[in-house]
Amino acid sequence: MLKSDKRGLVGSLFTILDGSLSNRLDPRLLKQAFDLTDAETRILPSLLSGRTNTEIATELDVSPETIKSQVSSILAKTGSKNRLLLLWRMFQWAPPVI
């Protein structure tokens, strides 16, 4: 049940996030906010695009173990338990609102 305020207004507020706009997110915001390394920041766009560790490793010509380590570090630094929560954290810093 919705409650009205002193002015008698009733309603709700919601925000629509467009996940297809994730390519517009600026990884530098997370870099600054969570003190990410340059290497961690470099993999963020691929990570946020849903690529696997192997795909990112191939793209950057590094080992999948290196990417796994960097992803783990990013998740730890941002307090994200998984990639989905990392994406949500990124949306909190720069929401792609439509």
Side-chain angles (χ1 to χ4, degrees), residues 15-60:
T15 302
I16 299 173
L17 300 177
D18 186 349
S20 68
L21 299 177
S22 64
N23 61 342
R24 294 185 186 172
L25 299 174
D26 188 351
R28 294 175 296 181
L29 294 173
L30 277 183
K31 176 182 174 48
Q32 293 172 355
F34 296 103
D35 197 29
L36 301 180
T37 66
D38 289 339
E40 292 164 349
T41 305
R42 186 178 61 226
I43 70 168
L44 276 176
S46 298
L47 190 62
L48 297 173
S49 295
R51 291 187 179 88
T52 66
N53 289 353
T54 303
E55 291 170 335
I56 298 169
T58 301
E59 184 179 296
L60 298 177

Side-chain angles (χ1 to χ4, degrees), residues 30-31 34-45 47-48 56 66-83 86-87 89:
L30 277 183
K31 176 182 174 48
F34 296 103
D35 197 29
L36 301 180
T37 66
D38 289 339
E40 292 164 349
T41 305
R42 186 178 61 226
I43 70 168
L44 276 176
L47 190 62
L48 297 173
I56 298 169
T66 298
I67 299 301
K68 182 178 179 180
S69 174
Q70 291 172 342
V71 170
S72 294
S73 181
I74 291 168
L75 295 177
K77 288 179 179 181
T78 61
S80 305
K81 293 183 180 182
N82 56 47
R83 292 172 187 229
L86 174 63
L87 183 60
R89 173 92 56 218

